[in-house]
Amino acid sequence: IAGITQAPTSQILAAGRRMTLRCTQDMRHNAMYWYRQDLGLGLRLIHYSNTAGTTGKGEVPDGYSVSRANTDDFPLTLASAVPSQTSVYFCASSDSTGGAREQFFGPGTRLTVL
Amino acid sequence: GQNIDQPTEMTATEGAIVQINCTYQTSGFNGLFWYQQHAGEAPTFLSYNVLDGLEEKGRFSSFLSRSKGYSYLLLKELQMKDSASYLCAVEDSNYQLIWGAGTKLIIKP
């Protein structure tokens, strides 16, 4: 693994189903983030984690949950998917102890909820 | 509220220079980032400004004026591969990034 990986690459999901998007990084970054990106809108933060064992809510957390059991993994769960959750989801990580807290992004998961 | 404004779309000619502007109003300021995003791909980091002035990195430069809440990204000697969206983001007082909607740059031969 080099950088951040996300799985699956894309998914079509029936409304009401539960879905977990996976994210793994190998850079030993302390901070990790989940964003959604919709056409015409900027990236919107769903949840974040500043360090293993802690998580926080972003701008649009409703309908999503996360966990951070270790440094490398940061899964995002949709408990009961709805069509408005159709989007491209990006996971990112950063070394927040540095000066320029550049975020590195995974390749994204394209999710369609029908 | 927090707001990042940048033009939706710009067109430029190969070999020319283009300036993409970004204005912001945020609760606190800990730095401004520019990212490049090619269609269907993830954003990648271009530049970071925390002090007023110009930061130059090869063909790309980024300028910041904190008093005016203003930044621009300058791309010189445009190449076809520079066709992409350019995202402006401000790190607020909670060290979270607030993102603009992005500027789609179209390069014509």
Side-chain angles (χ1 to χ4, degrees):
Chain A
I1 298 177
I4 301 184
T5 58
Q6 292 184 235
T9 302
S10 64
Q11 182 75 45
I12 298 174
L13 190 66
R17 297 298 296 268
R18 180 184 179 90
M19 175 75 192
T20 295
L21 307 185
R22 300 184 298 279
C23 174
T24 300
Q25 55 108 354
D26 66 353
M27 296 176 283
R28 309 303 293 173
H29 285 167
N30 58 308
M32 296 187 75
Y33 314 85
W34 273 106
Y35 293 96
R36 60 177 291 172
Q37 187 174 41
D38 302 290
L39 199 62
L41 299 177
L43 288 161
R44 291 184 291 170
L45 184 64
I46 304 171
H47 285 287
Y48 66 93
S49 169
N50 288 329
T51 189
T54 69
T55 63
K57 294 181 179 181
E59 179 186 356
V60 289
D62 293 344
Y64 305 95
S65 63
V66 292
S67 62
R68 186 89 184 277
N70 56 60
T71 298
D72 298 343
D73 301 300
F74 191 44
L76 176 74
T77 297
L78 289 68
S80 179
V82 295
S84 61
Q85 292 178 312
T86 293
S87 187
V88 179
Y89 291 85
F90 287 104
C91 179
S93 71
S94 71
D95 176 4
S96 64
T97 61
R101 287 167 283 272
E102 172 192 349
Q103 293 187 11
F104 295 82
F105 285 80
T109 294
R110 186 173 296 274
L111 181 67
T112 302
V113 183
L114 301 176
Chain B
Q2 308 205 91
N3 198 48
I4 311 281
D5 286 318
Q6 48 181 135
T8 302
E9 186 175 298
M10 298 182 70
T11 301
T13 304
E14 190 177 16
I17 299 173
V18 70
Q19 177 175 310
I20 302 174
N21 295 325
C22 171
T23 58
Y24 64 89
Q25 287 180 305
T26 57
S27 56
F29 179 88
N30 282 307
L32 186 143
F33 295 78
W34 284 96
Y35 281 76
Q36 181 189 60
Q37 185 177 26
H38 285 101
E41 298 183 6
T44 55
F45 171 78
L46 285 178
S47 68
Y48 171 74
N49 294 70
V50 66
L51 301 175
D52 286 357
L54 188 68
E55 294 281 344
E56 297 185 80
K57 191 185 294 185
R59 293 189 299 114
F60 292 7
S61 302
S62 56
F63 172 83
L64 175 67
S65 169
R66 293 185 60 169
S67 62
K68 295 182 179 178
Y70 168 70
S71 172
Y72 67 72
L73 180 69
L74 191 72
L75 291 74
K76 303 176 186 176
E77 301 169 15
L78 286 170
Q79 302 174 10
M80 297 304 293
K81 67 178 182 179
D82 297 329
S83 291
S85 289
Y86 291 86
L87 314 181
C88 175
V90 172
E91 190 173 61
D92 69 9
S93 56
N94 294 317
Y95 298 98
Q96 301 299 338
L97 286 183
I98 309 301
W99 295 82
T103 299
K104 182 178 181 180
L105 178 63
I106 299 168
I107 309 296
K108 295 187 175 179

